[in-house]
Amino acid sequence: KMNVIFFLLLGAAAAAALDDKIVGGYQCEAHSQPWQVSLNIGYHFCGGSLVNDQWIISAAHCWQNPYSQIAILGENHIWMHEGTEQFMAVDAIYWHESYDYQTFDYDIMLMKLAHPVAINEFVKPVALPKACPTPGDMCMVSGWGNIYTDQVFNPFYLQCVEVPILSNKECENSYPGMITERMVCAGYLEGGKDACQGDSGGPLLCNGELQGIVSWGQGCAQPNYPGVYTKICALMPWINEILSRYS
């Protein structure tokens, strides 16, 4: 009996500690997600993914004036200079012309960096999808999560969590009438593992391809409310058009 109570208390403590970053995840192995970007306006506010040496993909709802922000690549500990970081100015941002800030449909933007990054073991682009993901595929979400907490000066390493792609039916059942063809759900219907505020814009990586952008959800890691991601495979024509027109 005592044992069980002890574990429950431990579980509660762990849940509280993870509340404001990726929920139910773990500290990523350093630089294991070399495409991960931190978008920064004096503090980290959103994630992103490097798709080639001069372009980042993120969520349209993460839009900020390009000149007021920097993109940081090669980052692991968000408060410590480790010598692996590249601090990049943002030249231009193209968000989807059909983006709807109320429904989060077409929640995607492409950010052109002022200069190409130096590709190395800490900074590498991620592959874009050749096909859509299959329900049941295991995927990795990474991010630094919300830093508006009382633990703002604590060590803040990149967090990772693995979640499965859910079927359209499961996604629809969780969010009736709110899921469009540009959205895909990933997570566990029993809850417990999810992205959270501040992970927005970051990668959902499945089988080595970027299949999703952290977009929205009801709370974080709540039962029956999986994370909703922008479905990149459905937006490849737009992505390719922007990249070819403005590169």
Side-chain angles (χ1 to χ4, degrees), residues 37-192:
V37 181
S38 167
L39 301 180
N40 188 296
I41 43 173
Y43 52 86
H44 167 85
F45 71 93
C46 265
S49 305
L50 187 70
V51 292
N52 65 38
D53 67 358
Q54 204 166 352
W55 287 86
I56 289 165
I57 202 163
S58 186
H61 81 263
C62 286
W63 189 90
Q64 295 270 0
N65 181 330
Y67 305 116
S68 69
Q69 64 180 299
I70 54 167
I72 308 175
L73 294 106
E75 184 79 283
N76 177 40
H77 183 306
I78 203 139
W79 292 107
M80 203 160 68
H81 188 64
E82 295 167 285
T84 54
E85 301 90 348
Q86 296 182 40
F87 300 89
M88 309 300 293
V90 178
D91 195 39
I93 298 179
Y94 304 90
W95 73 93
H96 201 290
E97 57 278 8
S98 302
Y99 169 59
D100 184 326
Y101 69 93
Q102 287 169 310
T103 64
F104 286 102
D105 200 7
Y106 295 94
D107 190 11
I108 187 170
M109 67 180 181
L110 282 164
M111 310 174 69
K112 187 178 187 185
L113 300 175
H115 306 283
V117 300
I119 304 287
N120 58 31
E121 61 183 301
F122 310 111
V123 177
K124 280 190 188 115
V126 66
L128 289 167
K130 296 183 221 19
C132 287
T134 310
D137 282 356
M138 282 307 290
C139 306
M140 169 85 81
V141 193
S142 50
W144 284 277
N146 196 346
I147 60 169
Y148 299 106
T149 70
D150 50 2
Q151 309 170 14
V152 72
F153 292 112
N154 278 15
F156 231 64
Y157 291 96
L158 186 64
Q159 300 291 309
C160 284
V161 67
E162 274 118 31
V163 287
I165 295 284
L166 297 177
S167 69
N168 280 352
K169 188 169 184 295
E170 290 169 309
C171 197
E172 273 287 339
N173 288 347
S174 293
Y175 299 106
M178 298 164 78
I179 301 299
T180 72
E181 286 171 22
R182 274 78 46 195
M183 298 175 191
V184 61
C185 285
Y188 293 93
L189 294 178
E190 62 268 28

